Amino acid sequence: MICLLPHAAYLSETSRMIAIYKALAARGASVVMATHGGLFEGLIASEGIPYERLSPTMDEARCRRFIAENVGVGANLDGPYSEAELEALSASQADFFRRRGVRAVVTGFEISALLSARLAGVPLITEHAGAFVAPVFERGLAPAPSIPPPPLRRLPAPLIRLLMNTGAHRRDLWARALDRTARRLGVEGVPSLPALLMGDLTLVTETPEVLGIPQGELHAWRPRHPRAYRQTPTLRYVGPMFAELDLPVPARVEAFLAAPGPVAYVALTSTPAETVRRAALRVAEAGVRVLVAGSGTALPGLERDGVMVEGVLPSHKIMPRVAFAVTAGGQGSVQCAMAAGTPLIAAPLHWEQDFNVDRVARLGAALMVPMREAGGPVMTRAARKVLRRPSYRRAAGRIAALYRDWNGPANAAQAILDYLA
């Protein structure tokens, strides 16, 4: 039995777990889904996938607090869970794994699984790092963060980039509470942020051409600083994997997209509501109509002539029909845009999102706007630039051609089964 354990506060992680579940089931694997609940729990049920709701549960308020504590957004360096929560979550999960005879856990950012898998004595498989994995730092590929840590903010960007890459294995951001709890429970610790991002098997959801690391090198990787990691992890490329929700495009959205003139798709789904509001209006100043995906973010009063606000939308159906997209730079939204050949503007919330945007920006398909400037004139200038220069769309089209050779969910399922075999 393979257990999929999504963190349902996140659309991207929930949708990826759904896709992997279907791919594993199609291969005849015995699969079970479990979650502590969250904003996107309903998507699992809507797909007809049976699942078990574990305690303690995550209500909407707790999910929003969790998102607010995301790296680069919140100020809690220990992480979004208290040690008491981590103990309760990991105990509940480990009990479920034992009851159901689980022999491997696949998680989408339910970081307590780093503890519960060890308690149950089963391997942990992760995809929540996307492509933000240790070899990236060792090759110096991660950009300087658009929101640098306070001690580094006065330094020049090239020096910040060097320090962040060479010192990544020493950073214990978010790992502190996990490491203390692990040692109290008598299981292997979590000594660093890179260790938190990887499992025993880590599914790297990108292509070698976009990530910039040859496949053979990534698959053969061994850590330069073993003490900063847990048991030596295995990394496998599986290709892009993003939400392809089986939802209809609402009739009023269809009409909006079909009307004359270019449309920008603003999907800043984990961004504070006021920032989304200001950014959408700044994009509109570039002379485009704006479709805003609310995705649970309350945006009263934003809708007006030329600006439409909706809830969760099937982005893979929207992206091919817009002039460009504006997202925070989560890997799922970046890949959804690239797979559609759609240029991107991103306003990252944290370092991993900076990295996702940097990978496609270096190929000419995207622009990055610092989050602190997303509601200002910089956003309008970026929108005009992407709108007026065809080179951005051509570059996105080249990445789309690369992506067509990869089936992320199918490759992920096969990598899991190969690892367990």
Side-chain angles (χ1 to χ4, degrees):
M1 179 73 73
I2 301 169
C3 177
L4 302 189
L5 188 70
H7 197 305
Y10 294 95
L11 172 60
S12 58
E13 302 303 341
T14 307
S15 64
R16 282 180 174 179
M17 290 292 100
I18 289 170
I20 294 173
Y21 180 99
K22 290 179 177 179
L24 284 168
R27 283 160 174 72
S30 178
V31 197
V32 65
M33 183 88 78
T35 178
H36 291 277
L39 299 171
F40 300 101
E41 177 185 355
L43 289 179
I44 304 172
S46 71
E47 293 283 348
I49 297 174
Y51 68 96
E52 183 161 333
R53 203 166 197 250
L54 305 179
S55 62
T57 57
M58 295 276 285
D59 60 16
E60 181 176 340
R62 183 65 188 91
C63 282
R64 295 199 183 284
R65 289 200 309 276
F66 187 95
I67 293 169
E69 289 294 342
N70 204 337
V71 179
V73 182
N76 186 354
L77 301 183
D78 278 359
Y81 287 133
S82 69
E83 292 179 42
E85 280 181 302
L86 285 170
E87 285 201 36
L89 289 163
S90 57
S92 175
Q93 292 161 17
D95 177 68
F96 175 77
F97 302 155
R98 295 186 190 107
R99 282 192 289 110
R100 297 300 299 270
V102 168
R103 66 189 184 105
V105 181
V106 186
T107 192
F109 209 53
E110 184 49 79
I111 58 175
S112 53
L114 289 158
L115 308 181
S116 60
R118 290 294 188 264
L119 282 172
V122 297
L124 176 66
I125 299 165
T126 62
E127 52 74 19
H128 58 247
F132 201 52
V133 289
V136 163
F137 312 129
E138 293 181 355
R139 288 175 63 103
L141 296 180
S146 58
I147 307 174
L152 304 181
R153 285 180 183 168
R154 295 184 180 276
L155 299 177
L159 181 56
I160 294 175
R161 176 174 184 162
L162 175 65
L163 293 172
M164 293 292 285
N165 278 286
T166 57
H169 67 281
R170 291 190 291 268
R171 292 180 61 81
D172 61 355
L173 180 70
W174 268 39
R176 298 171 188 174
L178 276 163
D179 196 51
R180 290 193 296 264
T181 305
R183 299 190 187 285
R184 193 162 54 251
L185 294 174
V187 298
E188 186 181 12
V190 185
S192 68
L193 175 62
L196 179 152
L197 295 174
M198 297 192 293
D200 300 299
L201 170 64
T202 301
L203 306 175
V204 180
T205 52
E206 192 48 275
T207 67
E209 297 87 352
V210 175
L211 181 56
I213 300 177
Q215 181 167 297
E217 182 177 328
L218 184 96
H219 289 187
W221 176 81
R222 292 294 178 267
R224 292 180 186 172
H225 308 281
R227 292 185 181 180
Y229 298 91
R230 308 176 95 201
Q231 293 178 9
T232 303
T234 297
L235 289 86
R236 288 292 179 268
Y237 272 119
V238 297
M241 191 161 19
F242 52 89
E244 296 186 82
L245 303 177
D246 188 19
L247 299 173
V249 178
R252 75 187 205 110
V253 174
E254 284 282 3
F256 190 80
L257 293 169
V263 175
Y265 183 43
V266 176
L268 294 161
T269 54
S270 297
T271 304
E274 188 53 36
T275 302
V276 177
R277 181 189 308 279
R278 294 197 304 269
L281 294 177
R282 288 293 187 175
V283 170
E285 290 178 11
V288 295
R289 293 176 299 117
V290 179
L291 173 61
V292 182
S295 189
T297 302
L299 298 167
L302 175 58
E303 187 159 315
R304 61 198 68 193
D305 186 35
V307 178
M308 177 175 286
V309 180
E310 272 291 339
V312 178
L313 290 171
S315 290
H316 68 294
K317 298 178 182 179
I318 305 293
M319 291 284 193
R321 303 173 63 183
V322 299
F324 61 89
V326 181
T327 79
Q331 192 187 51
S333 66
V334 171
Q335 291 182 342
C336 188
M338 294 302 103
T342 300
L344 178 70
I345 299 171
L349 292 162
H350 51 73
W351 196 24
E352 184 259 340
Q353 292 179 342
D354 289 311
F355 172 73
N356 297 331
V357 180
D358 181 73
R359 291 296 86 193
V360 294
R362 73 184 177 89
L363 298 176
L367 283 177
M368 196 274 284
V369 173
M371 178 56 69
R372 64 183 178 277
E373 300 182 55
V378 173
M379 179 62 80
T380 306
R381 290 197 293 271
R384 287 178 178 146
K385 186 175 181 179
V386 171
L387 188 64
R388 294 172 182 174
R389 295 190 182 179
S391 62
Y392 287 98
R393 182 164 290 276
R394 288 196 297 268
R398 289 192 291 271
I399 296 173
L402 290 172
Y403 281 1
R404 281 194 285 272
D405 292 332
W406 293 78
N407 184 329
N411 292 340
Q414 194 59 53
I416 292 167
L417 295 175
D418 290 346
Y419 180 80
L420 295 180

